[in-house]
Amino acid sequence: MKERILEEAERLFWKYGVRSVTMEDIARKLGISKKTIYQHFSDKEQILYQVIQDKAGKDQSAMECMVIETDNPVEELMSVLTLMQKNADGVSPNLLIDIKRYYPQAFAIFRQYKEGHIMRSLLENIQKGIFQGVYRSDIKPTILARLRVEQIELAFDNEIFPTDQFSMHDIQSELIHHFVRGMLTEKGFEVYNQFLNKGVQPIIYENK
Amino acid sequence: MKERILEEAERLFWKYGVRSVTMEDIARKLGISKKTIYQHFSDKEQILYQVIQDKAGKDQSAMECMVIETDNPVEELMSVLTLMQKNADGVSPNLLIDIKRYYPQAFAIFRQYKEGHIMRSLLENIQKGIFQGVYRSDIKPTILARLRVEQIELAFDNEIFPTDQFSMHDIQSELIHHFVRGMLTEKGFEVYNQFLNKGVQPIIYENK
């Protein structure tokens, strides 16, 4: 039952943000009583807390698989785009802002994940790229890794990218392509262009 | 006298942030009484307000001169770097955070300037670059202009780039070079490399 509650809560939070979803909503969707939910969770924040922790764990595994699958740093970063776009599909623009403003404890997990796992993978990716000669040797890995980590948050901020003007797909795609290109050497551009031509990772621009 | 107060206040704010500078400090530095300051300004916030407004105006003129001097969009963005580094030299890392947190009215001017003038110049720069064939035609100008505008704020945020780990010169330089490179076509890279080789705008990396 706990699993089902978490799944349904995740679906609802992603779709509507956190603030506008009540325990009542989650119970109704599952056809159970609120009492049943309270047997597993003390409040909505606790559910959110667990949802984010599970999500971060799943993302981390998915990304680790990608790194194992490819030894190509360019391809690796582009695969993250696919993962993010899958995640971002249908996600409420309020979600991250809700969490940031009203659920500091849950946001802390997100930040921890960002600071820890994402930052580390990015640093590894950049160092590998420099070593392989696909990224320029004159870039500063720590500054660029941090830039990319912050871009993830920027993309979700609907004050910066209003959702009536930009689609999440476009923003994520534009930012990551630009981020990768800004690091490439001539050899790196060959890999990048080959990758685009393979058509495995088409740049999806939604009509908006 | 008003001018002298503004100049001294700017110097002190830049060096120490806003919160730790008192009306007393400004008066002492100028060898005048606090009363003299109060004849021109009702409080510190009003001085700050004026300082930022003047600063934004001066920066705007300086940037417009650059655009007139060069018709080359790559050179134009790199010149902004020089301007920013001159401005950022010796600036207190607390300045922008102080203003953002404690002086919302003054921060609003900064935001207005960012939204208005900076955003407009960036959009023009990107469109010109695409037209001249130095920037890729598949980039989305509005998304990248916004990214760059946000980067300016990121660079000043000492929670994101702790000042004991990064120098402002390095951050600004790294971010703008990366930003430009991420847009360049093959023709654009020729212009960029020529520009670097000219040595007019050396990438200054401080030893830290």
Side-chain angles (χ1 to χ4, degrees), chain B:
Chain B
M1 180 49 71
K2 203 173 169 178
E3 272 313 304
R4 279 185 59 212
I5 297 170
L6 287 170
E7 266 171 39
E8 188 55 38
E10 179 178 331
R11 211 183 57 77
L12 291 171
F13 293 159
W14 255 238
K15 197 162 172 193
Y16 304 107
V18 182
R19 287 196 91 200
S20 58
V21 173
T22 62
M23 293 295 249
E24 186 69 48
D25 293 330
I26 302 170
R28 203 182 323 114
K29 281 280 176 187
L30 288 167
I32 59 176
S33 68
K34 273 204 289 184
K35 217 183 117 198
T36 314
I37 299 185
Y38 285 113
Q39 280 166 5
H40 299 279
F41 300 98
S42 59
D43 54 21
K44 193 169 70 174
E45 178 144 11
Q46 213 203 334
I47 301 183
L48 175 66
Y49 197 87
Q50 191 65 46
V51 163
I52 292 191
Q53 209 144 37
D54 292 356
K55 186 81 189 150
K58 267 184 262 171
D59 279 3
Q60 186 161 345
S61 313
M63 278 200 231
E64 274 158 12
C65 290
M66 281 176 188
V67 177
I68 292 163
E69 271 169 29
T70 171
D71 190 44
N72 178 338
V74 176
E75 205 159 326
E76 202 178 291
L77 279 184
M78 299 323 262
S79 308
V80 174
L81 174 65
T82 320
L83 181 68
M84 288 184 74
Q85 289 192 325
K86 229 192 294 172
N87 279 340
D89 232 13
V91 79
S92 162
N94 301 321
L95 183 65
L96 203 70
I97 294 183
D98 262 20
I99 297 177
K100 197 169 175 178
R101 279 202 197 136
Y102 305 105
Y103 305 96
Q105 220 187 345
F107 191 68
I109 308 178
F110 175 72
R111 255 201 205 288
Q112 228 176 8
Y113 172 61
K114 227 177 61 171
E115 291 305 311
H117 174 67
I118 301 185
M119 190 71 192
R120 214 166 31 245
S121 332
L122 277 165
L123 267 176
E124 276 168 21
N125 179 282
I126 297 175
Q127 277 149 357
K128 191 159 76 178
I130 294 175
F131 181 75
Q132 292 187 7
V134 290
Y135 299 158
R136 302 166 63 103
S137 58
D138 62 351
I139 59 176
K140 295 204 172 275
T142 45
I143 294 180
L144 291 184
R146 185 134 291 284
L147 169 68
R148 179 64 203 140
V149 164
E150 294 308 317
Q151 280 184 5
I152 298 172
E153 214 169 304
L154 282 185
F156 281 100
D157 190 331
N158 67 2
E159 282 169 15
I160 294 171
F161 292 107
T163 43
D164 55 344
Q165 289 170 43
F166 304 99
S167 82
M168 187 58 78
H169 265 268
D170 280 9
I171 303 166
Q172 297 287 11
S173 173
E174 190 69 26
L175 294 186
I176 211 157
H177 278 275
H178 174 266
F179 180 75
V180 171
R181 286 197 308 258
M183 301 192 293
L184 297 177
T185 57
E186 222 165 298
K187 182 181 163 193
F189 268 102
E190 277 170 36
V191 177
Y192 173 78
N193 289 329
Q194 263 168 30
F195 185 74
L196 290 189
N197 292 336
K198 266 204 298 188
V200 186
Q201 235 66 43
I203 316 177
I204 304 153
Y205 285 131
E206 282 181 349
N207 286 318
K208 260 235 136 174

Side-chain angles (χ1 to χ4, degrees), chain A:
Chain A
M1 178 49 73
K2 203 172 170 181
E3 272 312 304
R4 279 185 59 211
I5 296 170
L6 287 170
E7 268 172 38
E8 189 55 39
E10 178 177 332
R11 211 184 56 78
L12 291 171
F13 292 159
W14 256 237
K15 197 162 173 191
Y16 303 107
V18 182
R19 285 196 92 201
S20 57
V21 173
T22 62
M23 292 295 248
E24 186 69 48
D25 294 330
I26 302 170
R28 203 181 324 113
K29 281 278 178 188
L30 288 168
I32 59 175
S33 68
K34 272 206 287 183
K35 217 183 116 200
T36 312
I37 299 184
Y38 283 115
Q39 279 164 5
H40 298 278
F41 300 98
S42 59
D43 54 22
K44 194 169 68 173
E45 179 144 11
Q46 212 203 334
I47 301 182
L48 175 66
Y49 196 86
Q50 191 65 48
V51 162
I52 292 190
Q53 210 145 34
D54 292 355
K55 187 81 188 149
K58 268 185 260 169
D59 280 3
Q60 185 161 343
S61 313
M63 278 200 230
E64 274 159 14
C65 289
M66 283 176 187
V67 176
I68 292 164
E69 271 169 29
T70 172
D71 191 46
N72 178 337
V74 176
E75 204 159 327
E76 201 178 292
L77 278 184
M78 298 324 259
S79 307
V80 174
L81 174 64
T82 321
L83 181 69
M84 289 186 72
Q85 288 190 327
K86 228 193 293 176
N87 279 340
D89 231 16
V91 81
S92 162
N94 301 321
L95 182 64
L96 204 69
I97 295 184
D98 261 21
I99 296 177
K100 198 170 175 177
R101 279 202 197 137
Y102 305 105
Y103 305 95
Q105 219 188 343
F107 191 67
I109 308 178
F110 175 72
R111 255 201 205 288
Q112 230 176 6
Y113 173 60
K114 227 178 60 172
E115 290 305 311
H117 175 67
I118 302 184
M119 191 69 191
R120 215 165 32 243
S121 331
L122 279 165
L123 267 176
E124 277 169 20
N125 180 282
I126 297 174
Q127 276 149 355
K128 191 159 77 178
I130 295 175
F131 180 75
Q132 292 187 5
V134 291
Y135 299 158
R136 301 165 64 102
S137 58
D138 62 351
I139 59 176
K140 293 202 173 277
T142 46
I143 294 180
L144 291 184
R146 186 135 291 285
L147 169 67
R148 178 64 203 141
V149 163
E150 293 308 317
Q151 280 184 6
I152 298 173
E153 213 170 306
L154 282 184
F156 280 99
D157 190 331
N158 68 1
E159 281 167 17
I160 294 170
F161 293 107
T163 41
D164 55 342
Q165 288 170 45
F166 302 99
S167 81
M168 187 57 77
H169 265 269
D170 281 8
I171 302 165
Q172 298 286 14
S173 174
E174 189 70 24
L175 294 186
I176 210 158
H177 278 276
H178 174 267
F179 180 75
V180 171
R181 285 197 308 258
M183 301 192 291
L184 297 178
T185 56
E186 224 165 294
K187 181 182 164 192
F189 267 104
E190 277 171 36
V191 178
Y192 173 78
N193 288 330
Q194 264 169 27
F195 186 73
L196 290 188
N197 292 335
K198 266 203 297 185
V200 186
Q201 236 66 41
I203 316 179
I204 304 153
Y205 284 132
E206 282 181 350
N207 286 317
K208 261 236 130 171

